[in-house]
């Protein structure tokens, strides 16, 4: 009888279309419905800081080069992952990530807590040619990262992120390009303004070893060194994060 | 819609030959499943859809039983799992399921079990009595795989899989970054495991408030040495490891005034100041005259991160013993 019903439905194009829409909507609603209440499920941790303009630019490069295709940024709820990387990742850690870069494939290691694990020098050498420091690495080399950083898009991007709830002030957005350069030029005259607007938590260093020019390498290393350092929420109360 | 194609002559495919068919028209009027306008394909015996596309007709075969049962079983299975496992979103919460399964508590419980399994040998590493630990062959045998894993995950990226380090090259910046070898008997700071553990804890030139600090000034760039003095100094330093440098030359005097405070008299190092010995064959930033000139001109300042927040006391102590062991193994 069910088959007979379907047999007859197939003969009515409008009825079939309605049926397809109903069936497909169930899957969509199950995925989308939780997002309507996301504000209630993913809190912004008290110690959370948003990424700086230079780190955001690095994040764009991370996406441009497809790093997420081989590196995840999520520590899974598995005992051996906790053993290696520390507490499993919680939603609140990614609350300012648009889009999130959790990834689902690990050809290389997870990067969720990479920040400040290795030195800047190591990151630069490793990105220029991974084989220089890890002889059996299969990661591609990214020699073009030493080219100058284009900072023009950072301010507009921050303005968009601000509409999505990332707490960037108008002053921070207006000075985005300057502050992106300042973070990689610690002894320059613009570094003071960076400290005023961003506080002392973001690293203020010549990430690529050269304090005179701001390169894509500066941005990407600044981003990598910020991973896992934006909040300590995963160490605080991991049990409370889960849908209470 | 023609039924009973009279042009077909083979007996076996003639619908008129089929059981219950009208011997003249081939129709099986008494078939209770056959509705008006339906016909049976003579070859397969299946009902056709009744349409005729320029002489081509489509069979209306039944839905395969195996697919039908797969569908029924999966629907039943999903209903059961909705009841037993976390499933449906409900606003800011979700249906928890009768089994009370939660991956986060499972993972924490499993991790606690791992910690518990290792506790009987691992807790010993919380103590600072490294000599006793190193002498306890049973504990060291149990700890060695863990030490290797910790070293590979945290240290090998810079210091090399075998602790061989990496000699920097080039001039200035990260291109010339070198990472000290750990498998030789030369130490920038300390050689005892308890001291190595402390270096691992706070790092060198790191963000840690108690970090060890060592920086070679940019003698050339910052004008602390004349270019002519550097010209004398470079070949003299380069010759130290081969023993070809004249201890009574003018360069030796410059070295004694400027460099010996950190690198030791004659460049022998060993002052636990982070400055390397210059008389051995190991070079962190390269031993060529060009590399040495770059080092004297631009200065050097390596960076080892602090591991206090990332690794536990036990883990850092294990690494200290492992690294000290690399040195002994390499020196033999």
């Amino acid at each position: 009888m069910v088959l007979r019903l379907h047999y007859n439905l197939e003969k009515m194009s409008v009825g079939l279309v309605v049926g397809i829409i109903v069936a497909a909507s169930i899957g969509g609603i199950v995925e989308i419905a939780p997002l309507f209440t996301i504000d209630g499920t993913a809190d912004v941790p008290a110690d959370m800081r948003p990424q700086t303009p230079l780190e955001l630019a690095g994040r764009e490069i991370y996406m441009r080069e497809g790093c997420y295709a081989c590196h995840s940024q999520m520590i899974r709820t598995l005992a051996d992952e906790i053993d290696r990387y520390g507490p499993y990742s919680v939603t609140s850690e990614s609350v300012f990530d648009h889009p999130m870069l959790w990834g689902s494939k690990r050809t290389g290691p997870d990067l969720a807590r990479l920040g400040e694990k290795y030195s800047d020098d190591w990151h630069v050498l490793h990105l220029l040619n991974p084989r220089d420091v890890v002889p059996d690495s299969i990661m591609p080399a990214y020699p073009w990262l030493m080219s100058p950083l284009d900072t023009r898009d950072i301010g507009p991007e921050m303005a968009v992120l601000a509409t999505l709830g990332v707490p960037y002030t108008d002053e921070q957005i207006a000075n985005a390009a300057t502050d992106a350069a300042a973070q990689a030029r610690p002894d320059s005259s613009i570094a003071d303004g960076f400290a005023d607007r961003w506080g002392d938590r973001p690293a203020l260093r010549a990430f690529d070893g050269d304090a005179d020019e701001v390169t894509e390498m500066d941005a990407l290393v600044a981003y990598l060194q910020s991973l896992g350092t934006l909040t300590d929420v995963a160490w605080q109360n991991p049990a409370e994060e889960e849908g209470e | 819609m023609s039924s009973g194609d009279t042009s077909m002559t083979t007996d076996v495919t003639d619908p008129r030959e089929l059981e219950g068919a009208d011997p003249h028209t081939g129709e099986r009027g008494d078939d209770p499943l056959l509705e008006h306008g339906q016909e049976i394909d003579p070859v397969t015996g299946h009902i056709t859809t009744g349409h005729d596309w320029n002489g081509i007709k489509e069979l209306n075969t039944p839905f395969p039983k195996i697919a039908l049962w797969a569908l029924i079983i999966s629907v039943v299975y999903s209903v059961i799992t909705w009841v037993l496992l976390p499933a449906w979103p409900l606003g800011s919460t979700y249906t928890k399921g009768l089994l009370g399964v939660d991956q986060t508590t499972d993972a924490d419980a499993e991790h606690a079990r791992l910690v518990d399994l290792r506790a009987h040998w691992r807790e010993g590493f919380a103590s600072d009595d490294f000599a006793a630990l190193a002498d306890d062959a049973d504990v060291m045998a149990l700890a060695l795989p863990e030490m290797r894993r910790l070293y590979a995950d945290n240290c090998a990226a810079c210091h090399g899989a075998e602790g061989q380090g990496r000699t920097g090259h080039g001039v200035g910046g990260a291109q010339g970054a070198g990472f000290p070898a750990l498998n030789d008997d030369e130490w920038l700071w300390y050689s005892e495991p308890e001291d190595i553990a402390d270096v691992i804890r706070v790092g060198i030139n790191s963000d840690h408030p108690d970090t060890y600090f060592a920086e070679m000034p940019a003698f050339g760039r910052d004008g602390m040495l004349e270019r002519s003095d550097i010209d004398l100094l470079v070949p003299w330093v380069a010759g130290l490891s081969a023993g070809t440098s004249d201890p009574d030359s003018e360069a030796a005097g410059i070295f004694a005034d400027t460099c010996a405070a950190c690198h030791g008299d004659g460049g022998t190092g060993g002052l636990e100041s982070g400055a390397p010995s210059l008389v051995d064959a190991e070079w962190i930033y390269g031993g060529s005259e060009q590399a040495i000139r770059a080092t004297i001109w631009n200065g050097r300042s390596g960076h080892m991160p602090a591991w206090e927040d990332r690794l536990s006391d036990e883990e850092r102590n294990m690494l200290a013993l492992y690294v000290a062991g690399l040195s002994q193994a390499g020196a033999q």
Side-chain angles (χ1 to χ4, degrees), chain B residues 42 67-68 79 106 111 168 214 226 234 242 260 329:
Chain B
L68 188 65
V79 172
D106 285 359
H111 184 243
E226 296 297 324
V234 166

Side-chain angles (χ1 to χ4, degrees), chain A residues 120-142:
Chain A
D120 296 340
D121 289 347
W122 182 86
H123 278 294
V124 174
L125 285 170
H126 183 247
L127 288 163
L128 289 175
N129 182 15
R131 259 71 55 199
D132 274 358
V133 282
V134 184
D136 51 356
S137 172
I138 57 165
M139 182 172 127
Y142 296 88

Side-chain angles (χ1 to χ4, degrees), chain A residues 7 30 34 37 41 77-79 82-84 88 113-119 121-122 124-125 128 132-133 209 242, chain B residues 60 88-89 91-92 103-104 107-108 110-111 114 118 149 153-154 157-158 166 174 177 179 207 303 305 307 310:
Chain A
Y7 182 79
V30 168
T37 56
T41 46
T77 48
L78 296 170
I82 296 172
D83 201 36
R84 175 174 177 181
Y88 54 80
R113 305 271 159 76
L114 182 69
E116 306 298 343
K117 182 173 182 180
Y118 304 126
S119 64
D121 289 347
W122 182 86
V124 174
L125 285 170
L128 289 175
D132 274 358
V133 282
E242 293 304 311
Chain B
N60 192 8
W88 290 90
S92 61
Q103 287 185 333
T104 62
D108 286 336
E110 178 65 13
H111 184 243
L114 279 183
R118 297 182 298 216
R149 181 188 74 77
D153 189 17
N154 298 295
C158 292
R166 179 189 181 281
F179 303 110
D207 298 337
H303 170 209
W307 297 86
R310 196 177 288 272

Side-chain angles (χ1 to χ4, degrees), chain B residues 195-209:
Chain B
D195 299 321
I196 296 172
D198 199 49
V199 174
I200 296 172
R201 181 176 70 86
V202 299
I204 298 163
N205 298 336
S206 76
D207 298 337
H208 196 284

